Amino acid sequence: MKNIVVLVSGGGTNLQALLDAEHRGEIPNGKITCVISSKADAYALTRAQENGVKTRVLVRKDYPDIAAYSAAMVKALREEQADLIIYAGFMTILDEQVVNAFPYQMMNVHPALIPSFCGKGYYGLRVHEEVLKRGVKVTGATVHFVTAECDGGPIILQKAVEVREGDTPEILQRRVMEEAEWKLLPKAAQLFCDGKISVVNERTILHE
Ligand code: GAR
């Protein structure tokens, strides 16, 4: 059984999707053992507690710099004996110490089709604002491994979502979550915990 640690900063709907999938038996070889939040008041913490999952809070401003914060995160993840670390709306930057400590063991869900609308400055609602500004007709979500390059790690799963006339950033965000993120993230966790993802030459191979 692999220990899954989920990193959050906000509402935690992706965490909820993971918890629901686990309860439905869809991640048979993984268990969410801890949720770590970068914000003390994140609603994701309530979701974890309601599901009997251990929570921890690591606030960036309690540390002098990103290196110290990242070192504290590595320590916490080691204490939790994390096998898989999932960024589910985790909005705080960590440095390469963390990536190096857990190579190809960390995954992130991004609310666009990478390599579009990704990288520094593209997070949360801002991604959908930029999608609408540019007028693309198709967007989506991506689950990828976390590497030192922001949103640049090997892609695990992607799903396209239609942009519709009259969409607001909020409406589009909700559609991308419902149709893509909440499905892709549990599926990626299941594949990882079943040992069905390998990385060759910076690309993933899925053994489904
Ligand atoms: C999600 O849409 C997730 O893809 C996005 O933040 C939202 C968190 O929602 N993440 C990023 O933009 C990371 N670059 P949630 O807290 O309800 O899961």
Side-chain angles (χ1 to χ4, degrees):
M1 188 63 82
K2 296 214 185 311
N3 293 334
I4 303 172
V5 176
V6 185
L7 307 188
V8 298
S9 300
T13 64
N14 279 288
L15 167 67
Q16 191 68 55
L18 287 163
L19 289 163
D20 292 347
E22 185 189 325
H23 293 154
R24 287 194 301 266
E26 291 171 12
I27 313 176
N29 294 311
K31 185 169 172 44
I32 300 167
T33 49
C34 184
V35 169
I36 303 180
S37 176
S38 63
K39 293 208 176 104
D41 60 353
Y43 185 65
L45 289 169
T46 305
R47 294 182 192 271
Q49 283 150 9
E50 280 172 355
N51 284 271
V53 175
K54 177 179 176 182
T55 58
R56 297 176 70 144
V57 176
L58 278 184
V59 179
R60 169 67 182 84
K61 65 173 168 28
D62 291 345
Y63 298 85
D65 50 30
I66 290 175
Y69 184 71
S70 299
M73 183 62 80
V74 170
K75 184 169 174 285
L77 292 170
R78 290 214 168 107
E79 283 165 4
E80 298 305 327
Q81 299 182 21
D83 297 304
L84 170 63
I85 298 138
I86 300 180
Y87 285 45
F90 183 68
M91 302 299 190
T92 305
I93 290 170
L94 298 168
D95 72 11
E96 64 283 353
Q97 291 177 69
V98 189
V99 177
N100 293 342
F102 298 94
Y104 297 136
Q105 286 174 270
M106 311 183 78
M107 54 176 71
N108 175 48
V109 60
H110 181 75
L113 292 174
I114 290 174
S116 288
F117 305 103
C118 67
K120 208 167 177 288
Y122 285 93
Y123 57 87
L125 214 49
R126 290 181 61 170
V127 175
H128 305 291
E129 285 166 3
E130 293 302 318
V131 162
L132 291 175
K133 220 185 273 174
R134 183 61 184 84
V136 296
K137 303 300 183 195
V138 176
T139 183
T142 303
V143 178
H144 63 94
F145 280 119
V146 176
T147 61
E149 189 190 339
C150 179
D151 293 332
I155 290 167
I156 302 167
L157 294 172
Q158 291 188 298
K159 191 167 188 295
V161 174
E162 182 186 36
V163 180
R164 294 189 197 145
E165 212 52 54
D167 273 351
T168 62
E170 290 80 8
I171 290 171
L172 183 58
Q173 179 183 52
R174 181 75 190 184
R175 188 179 313 120
V176 168
M177 284 176 157
E178 277 177 1
E179 293 184 12
E181 296 184 47
W182 299 343
K183 294 178 179 165
L184 294 185
L185 198 53
K187 177 71 183 166
Q190 174 252 310
L191 289 170
F192 182 94
C193 293
D194 290 353
K196 291 192 170 155
I197 310 176
S198 49
V199 182
V200 180
N201 296 331
E202 299 288 303
R203 293 182 201 174
T204 64
I205 298 171
L206 307 182
H207 309 274
E208 290 187 78

